[in-house]
Structure formats: C-alpha cells, structure tokens
C-alpha cells in the first residue's frame, strides 16, 4: 500500500505509524536494488536540499549529499562556520529564509527543539540528522539491516548494550516498539531512558507484539539475542562525562564473551558508527564475521534517499 508522505518532516519516529515506516523500508529496498543494478534516475532534478550541521558527521552527511546529488538534486552543506543559525539570526528567521530557497532541510545538532522549530517555520520537509534526543534516520537503516539478515522484523530480539538514554538508544527503542521487535536494554540504572519515553514505547508496542525490557544485568539481557547493538559511551557534546562513563559502562562492552553468551550462532553485531574500538566493542567483534555494521552504514544512504523520495 502506498502512503502519501509528501510534505512530511521526519523529526522523530514517534510521529510515524508502523505502516509508514514499513512504506519507507520498502522504498529503501527498491532504492538499494536500483543502485546495485546501476539504474540512474533524476528524481530530484531541479530540487535543492539545505544540510545544516552543528556537529560532525561522516555517514549522515555523505548519505544525504550523495543520495540527493545522484538523483539530480543540488545539496548545499552549511556548517556553523557558514551560517548565522541561532547566533546572529534566530532559528525561526533562518527557517523562514531557507524555506524560501530550498525544497527540504536536513539538520544535525544539539537540541531537538531546533529541528522542530525549523520544521515549524520553514514550510518544507525537515529531516532530523541527529539531535541529543533522537536519531531517526539511523534507525531506519538499522531496521533495514535486521530485515535483510533475518527476512523480517517481528519477534526479533535486539539487545542494546551501553548508554541507554542517548539519541540512538532512544530511537532504537521507538523503532523496535513500532515494528514489533523485542527491545532489550542492558545499561546501568544511571543511564536508563526517560520514564515517559519508555511508557510511550510500551504503548506503541501493545498493538505490534513488541516488548520492552530494561535491565542493568548483561547476563539477563544477552541470552537469545539475535542482534546486539552498541554505540559510543560518550556522545558528541558530552565529552566532560568521559571518565565517569568509562567506569560506568565497562561491564557493558560487547566482546567475544557477550557474543557467545547469546547461545545463538546467527547473532549479528550492529553499531551506528563511528566506534571507539576497545571501549564499547572489541576489535574482534566489530571486524569479525558477525558484524553487519558496514551494511548498516551503506543502508543509511538507501533509507535516507527513501525518506526524501517519499516526502519531497
Ligand atoms: N551513524 C552516524 O550518524 O554517523 P555520522 O556521525 O558519521 O553521521
Ligand atoms: N550517540 C552518538 C551517535 C553518533 C552517530 C552521538 O550522539 O555522538
């Protein structure tokens, strides 16, 4: 079934229904097949995309820029050294101006409020390329990768180890709840997600058959994990917490023992990247045969293209 998502922003997956997420994943698969087959289309010809980055990026920037450019569109990269956003000009006014010149806007930065304000005042689709709270485009790529591996999403046990309240963990919990996965978080209590978000995710989970389990015990979380996911222990902007995090999160490292403790030979390893090898994951796991993080990185491009195809 086709959905009309024209004009929609993607600020958080909380705003998307399971059917709409399914629709985006189907377009992603098609976009990947087209690229593999060398089919060249020009579906963004004559269109422009503003790409605003307050924080650094490899995958998200390159995914948006190449996906938009290879379809004939003109992406414009704007770092905080280039534009006035929030310093000399309010976010509202910047949004109004960009909305007059661009067909869509991507934003990566600190506050969720900024990406929401851009959407409110620009009048064009706005995509959240990561804020402190959410990373929705990442989770579409993660779901795509899980589906490629297991042929479906419903009932898959995905275990996230580490900082349970960062942007990636929050969004993975939302995406899992909406798409019927069993989301298990292994994290120290100090880093558990906000209670209102957990409650909302339990509501999303009710009709999809998903479950949300939160524990501080790795030995409870890991057995039966079909996918083990981790992310950095210190997210961008939290560098002052590095020492504290290293101590707190050491027991949650994904290593050979954790992979073996799933009891399943088919467990895959996922990481949004960039990784700090030797901290949240050991080299043998991330560079080993069960790692799917490079497919996951590639899938950022196909899923991001799908979002733009659906909404522009
Ligand atoms: N996973 C991810 O968002 O990577 P970048 O920070 O390189 O964009
Ligand atoms: N949690 C990480 C994700 C990077 C893609 C961060 O915010 O730095």
């Amino acid at each position: 079934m086709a959905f009309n998502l024209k004009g929609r922003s993607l600020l958080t997956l909380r705003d998307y229904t399971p059917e709409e997420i399914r629709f985006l994943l189907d377009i992603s698969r098609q976009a990947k097949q087209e690229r593999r087959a060398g089919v060249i289309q020009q579906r963004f010809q004559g269109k422009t995309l503003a790409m605003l980055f307050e924080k650094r990026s490899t995958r998200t920037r390159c995914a948006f820029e190449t996906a938009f450019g290879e379809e004939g569109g003109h992406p414009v990269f704007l770092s905080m050294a280039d534009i006035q956003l929030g310093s000399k000009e309010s976010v509202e006014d910047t949004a109004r101006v960009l909305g007059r010149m661009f067909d869509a806007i991507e934003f990566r930065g600190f506050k969720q409020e900024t990406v929401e304000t851009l959407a409110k005042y620009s009048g064009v689709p706005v995509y959240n390329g990561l804020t402190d709270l959410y990373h929705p485009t990442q989770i579409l790529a993660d779901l795509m990768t899980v589906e490629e591996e297991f042929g479906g999403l419903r009932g898959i046990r995905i275990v996230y180890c580490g900082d349970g309240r960062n942007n990636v963990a929050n969004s993975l919990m939302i995406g899992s709840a909406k798409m019927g996965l069993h989301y298990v978080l292994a994290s120290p209590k100090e880093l558990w997600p906000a209670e209102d978000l957990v409650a909302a995710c339990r509501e999303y989970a009710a009709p999809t058959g998903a479950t949300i389990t939160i524990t501080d015990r790795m030995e409870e979380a890991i057995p039966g994990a079909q996918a083990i996911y981790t992310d950095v222990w210190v997210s961008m902007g939290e560098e002052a917490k590095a020492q504290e995090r290293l101590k707190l999160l050491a027991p949650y490292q994904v290593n050979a023992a954790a992979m073996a403790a799933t009891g399943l030979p088919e467990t895959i390893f996922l990481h949004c990247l960039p990784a700090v090898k030797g901290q949240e994951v050991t080299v043998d796991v991330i560079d080993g045969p069960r790692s799917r993080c490079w497919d996951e990185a590639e899938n950022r491009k196909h899923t991001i293209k799908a979002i733009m195809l659906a909404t522009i």
Side-chain angles (χ1 to χ4, degrees), residues 1-304:
M1 183 169 168
F3 287 83
N4 186 359
L5 300 180
K6 298 290 174 214
R8 283 272 293 275
S9 290
L10 175 56
L11 308 178
T12 161
L13 287 174
R14 297 180 70 162
D15 300 336
Y16 277 64
T17 66
E19 293 75 22
E20 289 167 345
I21 296 171
R22 175 79 268 150
F23 177 58
L24 292 175
L25 291 173
D26 290 345
I27 303 176
S28 306
R29 202 174 48 231
Q30 216 177 307
K32 186 168 186 172
Q33 281 164 3
E34 285 166 0
R35 184 157 166 79
R36 289 283 156 91
V39 178
I40 301 193
Q41 306 209 51
Q42 296 288 289
R43 289 169 287 195
F44 298 136
Q45 201 171 25
K47 304 279 184 200
T48 51
L49 170 73
M51 299 169 44
L52 275 51
F53 283 82
E54 285 180 347
K55 294 176 177 173
R56 291 185 187 209
S57 168
T58 299
R59 278 143 291 270
T60 308
R61 178 202 174 156
C62 296
F64 271 101
E65 194 158 339
T66 60
F68 200 69
E70 75 191 17
E71 292 276 347
H74 182 178
V76 178
F77 178 78
L78 298 163
S79 79
M80 291 307 112
D82 303 308
I83 58 165
Q84 307 285 13
L85 184 77
S87 55
K88 211 176 158 193
E89 188 163 35
S90 69
V91 178
E92 287 91 322
D93 289 357
T94 306
R96 289 183 175 111
V97 172
L98 295 178
R100 298 287 181 111
M101 300 195 189
F102 291 92
D103 296 289
I105 299 168
E106 179 279 351
F107 171 81
R108 163 172 288 200
F110 294 91
K111 293 189 198 143
Q112 180 69 15
E113 191 194 329
T114 308
V115 78
E116 284 171 7
T117 306
L118 287 169
K120 187 168 170 199
Y121 290 94
S122 67
V124 297
V126 173
Y127 313 116
N128 179 355
L130 178 148
T131 60
D132 287 348
L133 205 53
Y134 301 123
H135 196 2
T137 66
Q138 175 68 51
I139 274 45
L140 290 174
D142 304 338
L143 292 171
M144 182 179 189
T145 310
V146 169
E147 190 160 67
E148 284 174 341
E149 183 72 25
F150 298 109
L153 294 173
R154 269 189 176 241
I156 297 289
R157 181 177 172 94
I158 187 163
V159 179
Y160 179 100
C161 306
D163 179 1
R165 38 95 271 164
N166 77 11
N167 37 25
V168 170
N170 283 344
S171 290
L172 188 65
M173 180 167 67
I174 297 164
S176 298
K178 295 229 173 189
M179 300 312 285
L181 288 84
H182 299 301
Y183 178 78
V184 182
L185 171 66
S187 179
K189 288 198 175 78
E190 294 87 334
L191 297 174
W192 283 6
E195 274 172 27
D196 57 340
L197 180 62
V198 176
C201 286
R202 293 219 158 99
E203 276 180 35
Y204 306 145
T208 69
T211 56
I212 312 282
T213 306
I214 297 176
T215 174
D216 58 357
R217 296 174 54 234
M218 282 286 268
E219 59 276 23
E220 186 191 332
I222 297 285
Q226 289 158 288
I228 296 188
Y229 196 129
T230 191
D231 182 15
V232 288
W233 288 346
V234 184
S235 286
M236 290 180 277
E238 301 187 326
E239 290 74 13
K241 304 234 184 248
Q243 284 318 311
E244 173 189 330
R245 289 285 169 74
L246 256 57
K247 228 194 265 165
L248 210 51
L249 286 166
Y252 300 88
Q253 184 188 63
V254 180
N255 49 34
M259 292 298 286
T262 68
L264 302 174
E266 74 262 27
T267 306
I268 59 168
F269 171 75
L270 297 172
H271 193 308
C272 56
L273 304 175
V276 184
K277 295 181 182 181
Q279 282 192 13
E280 73 272 9
V281 60
T282 52
V283 175
D284 56 322
V285 171
I286 191 167
D287 292 343
R290 302 312 302 166
S291 176
R292 295 292 177 271
C293 62
W294 318 112
D295 299 307
E296 193 183 358
E298 179 193 330
N299 287 341
R300 298 295 310 284
K301 172 165 172 159
H302 308 304
T303 45
I304 280 172

